[in-house]
Coordinates of all heavy atoms in Angstrom, one line a residue:
S1 N 11.5 5.8 17.2 CA 12.3 5.7 18.5 C 12.3 4.3 19.2 O 13.1 4.0 20.0 CB 11.7 6.7 19.5 OG 10.4 6.4 20.0
I2 N 11.2 3.5 18.8 CA 11.2 2.1 19.5 C 12.1 1.3 18.6 O 12.6 0.2 19.2 CB 9.7 1.6 19.1 CG1 8.8 2.5 19.9 CG2 9.6 0.2 19.6 CD1 7.3 2.1 19.7
L3 N 12.6 1.6 17.5 CA 13.4 0.8 16.7 C 14.9 0.9 17.0 O 15.3 2.0 17.5 CB 13.2 1.0 15.3 CG 11.8 0.8 14.7 CD1 11.6 1.5 13.4 CD2 11.6 -0.7 14.6
P4 N 15.7 -0.1 16.8 CA 17.2 0.0 16.9 C 17.8 1.0 15.9 O 17.1 1.5 15.1 CB 17.8 -1.2 16.7 CG 16.7 -2.0 15.8 CD 15.5 -1.4 16.2
E5 N 19.0 1.5 16.3 CA 19.5 2.5 15.5 C 20.1 2.1 14.2 O 20.3 2.9 13.2 CB 20.8 3.2 16.3 CG 20.5 4.0 17.4 CD 19.5 5.1 17.0 OE1 19.9 5.9 16.0 OE2 18.3 5.2 17.6
R6 N 20.0 0.8 13.9 CA 20.4 0.2 12.6 C 19.3 -0.7 12.1 O 18.9 -1.6 12.9 CB 21.7 -0.7 12.7 CG 22.4 -1.1 11.5 CD 23.4 -2.1 11.7 NE 23.0 -3.4 12.1 CZ 23.1 -4.1 13.2 NH1 23.7 -3.5 14.2 NH2 22.6 -5.3 13.2
I7 N 18.9 -0.5 10.9 CA 17.8 -1.3 10.2 C 18.6 -1.9 9.1 O 19.0 -1.3 8.2 CB 16.6 -0.7 9.8 CG1 15.9 -0.1 11.0 CG2 15.8 -1.5 9.0 CD1 15.3 -1.1 12.0
D8 N 18.7 -3.3 9.1 CA 19.3 -4.0 8.0 C 18.5 -4.5 7.0 O 18.9 -4.7 5.9 CB 20.2 -5.2 8.5 CG 21.1 -4.8 9.7 OD1 22.1 -4.0 9.3 OD2 20.9 -5.2 10.8
G9 N 17.1 -4.8 7.3 CA 16.2 -5.3 6.2 C 14.9 -4.5 6.5 O 14.4 -4.3 7.6
F10 N 14.2 -4.3 5.5 CA 12.8 -3.7 5.5 C 11.9 -4.3 4.4 O 12.3 -4.5 3.4 CB 13.0 -2.2 5.2 CG 11.6 -1.4 5.0 CD1 11.0 -1.0 6.2 CD2 11.2 -1.2 3.8 CE1 9.7 -0.3 6.1 CE2 10.0 -0.5 3.7 CZ 9.3 -0.1 4.9
V11 N 10.7 -4.6 4.9 CA 9.8 -5.2 4.0 C 8.4 -4.5 4.2 O 7.9 -4.5 5.3 CB 9.5 -6.7 4.1 CG1 8.5 -7.4 3.2 CG2 10.8 -7.5 4.3
Y12 N 7.9 -4.0 3.2 CA 6.5 -3.4 3.2 C 5.5 -4.2 2.6 O 5.4 -4.5 1.3 CB 6.6 -2.0 2.5 CG 5.3 -1.2 2.6 CD1 5.1 -0.3 3.6 CD2 4.4 -1.2 1.5 CE1 4.0 0.4 3.7 CE2 3.2 -0.4 1.6 CZ 3.0 0.3 2.7 OH 1.8 1.1 2.9
C13 N 4.6 -4.7 3.4 CA 3.6 -5.7 3.0 C 2.1 -5.0 2.8 O 1.4 -5.7 2.1 CB 3.4 -6.8 4.1 SG 5.0 -7.7 4.4
P14 N 1.8 -4.0 3.3 CA 0.4 -3.5 3.1 C 0.0 -3.4 1.6 O 1.0 -3.0 0.8 CB 0.3 -2.2 3.8 CG 1.4 -2.3 4.9 CD 2.5 -3.0 4.3
G15 N -1.2 -3.7 1.2 CA -1.7 -3.6 -0.1 C -3.1 -3.7 -0.3 O -3.8 -3.8 0.7
S16 N -3.6 -3.7 -1.5 CA -4.9 -4.0 -1.8 C -5.2 -4.7 -3.0 O -4.3 -4.8 -3.9 CB -5.7 -2.5 -2.0 OG -4.9 -1.7 -3.0
I17 N -6.4 -5.3 -3.1 CA -6.9 -5.9 -4.3 C -8.1 -5.3 -4.8 O -9.2 -5.9 -4.3 CB -6.8 -7.5 -4.1 CG1 -5.5 -8.0 -3.7 CG2 -7.2 -8.0 -5.5 CD1 -5.5 -9.5 -3.5
N18 N -8.1 -4.3 -5.5 CA -9.4 -3.5 -5.8 C -9.6 -3.7 -7.3 O -9.3 -3.0 -8.2 CB -9.2 -2.1 -5.4 CG -10.5 -1.4 -5.7 OD1 -11.5 -1.9 -5.7 ND2 -10.4 0.0 -5.6
L19 N -10.3 -4.9 -7.6 CA -10.5 -5.3 -9.0 C -12.0 -5.0 -9.4 O -12.9 -5.6 -9.1 CB -10.3 -6.9 -9.1 CG -8.9 -7.4 -8.6 CD1 -8.7 -8.9 -9.0 CD2 -7.7 -6.4 -9.0
K20 N -12.0 -4.0 -10.2 CA -13.3 -3.5 -10.8 C -13.2 -3.0 -12.2 O -12.1 -2.5 -12.5 CB -14.0 -2.4 -9.9 CG -14.3 -2.9 -8.5 CD -14.9 -1.7 -7.7 CE -15.2 -2.1 -6.4 NZ -15.8 -1.0 -5.5
P21 N -14.2 -3.0 -13.0 CA -14.0 -2.3 -14.3 C -13.7 -0.9 -14.1 O -14.2 -0.2 -13.1 CB -15.5 -2.4 -14.9 CG -16.1 -3.6 -14.1 CD -15.5 -3.7 -12.8
F22 N -12.9 -0.2 -15.0 CA -12.6 1.2 -14.9 C -13.6 2.0 -14.8 O -13.6 3.0 -14.0 CB -11.8 1.5 -16.2 CG -11.3 2.9 -16.2 CD1 -10.3 3.4 -15.2 CD2 -11.9 3.8 -17.1 CE1 -10.0 4.7 -15.3 CE2 -11.6 5.1 -17.2 CZ -10.6 5.7 -16.2
K23 N -14.8 1.8 -15.4 CA -15.9 2.7 -15.4 C -16.5 2.7 -13.9 O -17.3 3.7 -13.6 CB -17.0 2.3 -16.4 CG -17.6 0.9 -16.1 CD -18.6 0.6 -17.3 CE -19.3 -0.8 -17.1 NZ -20.2 -1.1 -18.2
M24 N -16.3 1.7 -13.1 CA -16.8 1.7 -11.8 C -15.8 2.1 -10.8 O -16.0 2.1 -9.6 CB -17.3 0.3 -11.4 CG -18.4 -0.2 -12.3 SD -18.8 -2.0 -12.0 CE -19.3 -2.0 -10.2
L25 N -14.7 2.5 -11.1 CA -13.6 3.2 -10.2 C -13.6 4.6 -10.4 O -13.2 5.1 -11.5 CB -12.3 2.5 -10.5 CG -12.1 1.1 -10.2 CD1 -10.8 0.5 -11.0 CD2 -11.9 0.8 -8.8
N26 N -13.9 5.3 -9.4 CA -13.9 6.8 -9.4 C -12.5 7.2 -9.1 O -11.6 6.4 -8.5 CB -14.9 7.4 -8.5 CG -14.8 7.0 -7.0 OD1 -13.6 6.8 -6.6 ND2 -16.0 7.0 -6.3
P27 N -12.1 8.4 -9.3 CA -10.7 8.9 -8.9 C -10.4 8.7 -7.4 O -9.2 8.4 -7.2 CB -10.8 10.3 -9.4 CG -11.8 10.5 -10.4 CD -12.8 9.4 -10.1
K28 N -11.4 8.6 -6.6 CA -11.1 8.5 -5.2 C -10.5 7.1 -4.9 O -9.7 6.9 -4.0 CB -12.3 8.8 -4.3 CG -12.1 8.5 -2.7 CD -11.1 9.5 -2.2 CE -11.4 9.4 -0.7 NZ -11.1 8.2 0.1
A29 N -11.1 6.1 -5.7 CA -10.5 4.7 -5.5 C -9.1 4.6 -5.9 O -8.3 4.0 -5.2 CB -11.4 3.8 -6.4
F30 N -8.6 5.3 -7.0 CA -7.3 5.4 -7.4 C -6.4 6.0 -6.4 O -5.4 5.5 -6.0 CB -7.1 6.1 -8.7 CG -7.5 5.3 -10.0 CD1 -8.9 5.1 -10.3 CD2 -6.4 4.8 -10.8 CE1 -9.2 4.3 -11.4 CE2 -6.8 3.9 -11.9 CZ -8.1 3.7 -12.3

């Protein structure tokens, strides 16, 4: 509701850099 009725451009920036050996990544990390 805070935004205007027309959105012409959208960029999604959130992310992560979770670099570990597979054996150290449990399913919750995925």
Side-chain angles (χ1 to χ4, degrees):
S1 68
I2 299 173
L3 297 167
E5 286 306 303
R6 188 191 80 246
I7 297 294
D8 304 296
F10 171 84
V11 185
Y12 184 81
C13 299
S16 57
I17 304 180
N18 189 12
L19 308 185
K20 293 179 181 177
F22 175 69
K23 65 183 180 182
M24 295 177 62
L25 288 166
N26 59 31
K28 178 66 164 55
F30 279 78

